[in-house]
Structure formats: structure tokens, C-alpha cells
Amino acid sequence: PVPRGYLGLGFGTVCALVAARNSAWRSFLMAKPVPYVTLAVIAACYGFGAYFPDDVLPYLGISATAALLIGSLWLNKDSPVSRILGWKPISALGRLTYGLYLIHVLVINVVTVAMMKLDLPMSWPVVFCISYAGAVAAAFALHIVLEQPLIAVGRKIAGRVAGRTSRMATAPAQP
């Protein structure tokens, strides 16, 4: 089976390539209702996935529809949905997505075990809310402690490599 992430990347790539070459597709993506419809479909797919977690179809639906949403937002930077997603608290959460991706399962497991040990009633909305808050806090800590310092190191290395490459490109050829 093909991992869902690759299908999502594939949907996004196809959407971008078709939009670059086809004005009708670009016009479709620029239509005002597209961001709202895609958000509704994504929400419905998440809801369906919550009730049928082993079914791959909701996640494929999210991948395909997210590609349409991203394309639509890219072409409609002034749309209300773009402005909402550009709001500082939402943008800050967006910068934490990699850390959230890395840590969310661990946080869910910790919350679930802690709730069982404390004999607290478990329902998925409660586990979700506590886990989400914990994952955001953990991702923020990862962002400050690991991501930012390592990004700075990467930029220094890239700057040195770029400097060497440009010096090599401008150096006179040796006979």
C-alpha cells in the first residue's frame, strides 16, 4: 500500500502542475466558493475518519481536498479564508506543525495512560483536547530548544557552502 503522505504530495503536485498549464483549472481554483467548499469537505472527511479510523478513504479525501484548498488560497491571497489562516496565532501554530507531527502520538499515549492511572473517565473529545494542548506545548518547546538553534546552524553551513561555491565559480580557470 502507498503511504497516505505520498498521495497527498501527489495530489498537490498534480494540482500545481495543472494550474500552471491550464487557465480553466486556475479559474476554477480562483472561484470564491472553492475555499469554503474545500474546508467543509475536509471537516466532513475528518468527521468520517473519526468514526471509521481504519478506513483510508477519509484521509485520501483530506489529501485531495487540501491540495485544492492550498491551490485556491495561493491564487486568492486576499480571500477571507487566507486572511483567517494568516492571523498571527494561526500562523504561529503553523510554524509548529513539524514538531506537532513528531510529538502528537507520544502525547496522546501519555495522556491516555495518565487518565487510566488516575481512573479518569476517557472520552475521545477529552483525550483530544488535553492531547492537543499538550502536543502544542511540547512542539513549542521542541521549536525553541531544537528547531531554532539547528535552523541557525543549517543557515551558517549553507552560507559557507554558498560562499565556497560562488568563489569557485568566479575563480579563473587554471590552464
Side-chain angles (χ1 to χ4, degrees):
V2 177
R4 292 187 306 250
Y6 291 121
L7 289 172
L9 291 171
F11 288 135
T13 302
V14 168
C15 183
L17 290 172
V18 172
R21 291 173 168 69
N22 187 308
S23 61
W25 183 248
R26 258 190 324 277
S27 295
F28 166 75
L29 290 174
M30 292 177 73
K32 292 204 184 295
V34 171
Y36 304 106
V37 172
T38 56
L39 281 174
V41 171
I42 289 169
C45 287
Y46 270 112
F48 187 76
Y51 286 103
F52 302 102
D54 295 330
D55 192 347
V56 74
L57 288 178
Y59 304 104
L60 295 178
I62 291 166
S63 295
T65 311
L68 295 175
L69 174 63
I70 292 166
S72 173
L73 295 176
W74 182 258
L75 294 168
N76 294 301
K77 290 183 171 74
D78 293 330
S79 78
V81 176
S82 288
R83 286 195 302 271
I84 290 168
L85 292 175
W87 189 44
K88 286 191 186 229
I90 302 291
S91 294
L93 275 176
R95 283 187 290 280
L96 300 178
T97 54
Y98 184 63
L100 282 167
Y101 163 73
L102 291 176
I103 201 82
H104 77 282
V105 173
L106 177 63
V107 173
I108 292 167
N109 290 335
V110 167
V111 167
T112 303
V113 168
M115 289 180 75
M116 286 190 310
K117 294 249 183 214
L118 296 170
D119 288 325
L120 295 173
M122 275 198 297
S123 65
W124 78 263
V126 172
V127 172
F128 173 82
C129 290
I130 295 170
S131 298
Y132 193 82
V136 168
F140 181 73
L142 283 174
H143 182 71
I144 298 298
V145 173
L146 288 174
E147 271 188 272
Q148 286 181 337
L150 291 174
I151 287 171
V153 168
R155 285 189 176 140
K156 284 182 187 176
I157 292 169
R160 287 187 206 140
V161 169
R164 265 188 267 155
T165 305
S166 66
R167 283 192 303 274
M168 288 170 45
T170 58
Q174 298 292 329

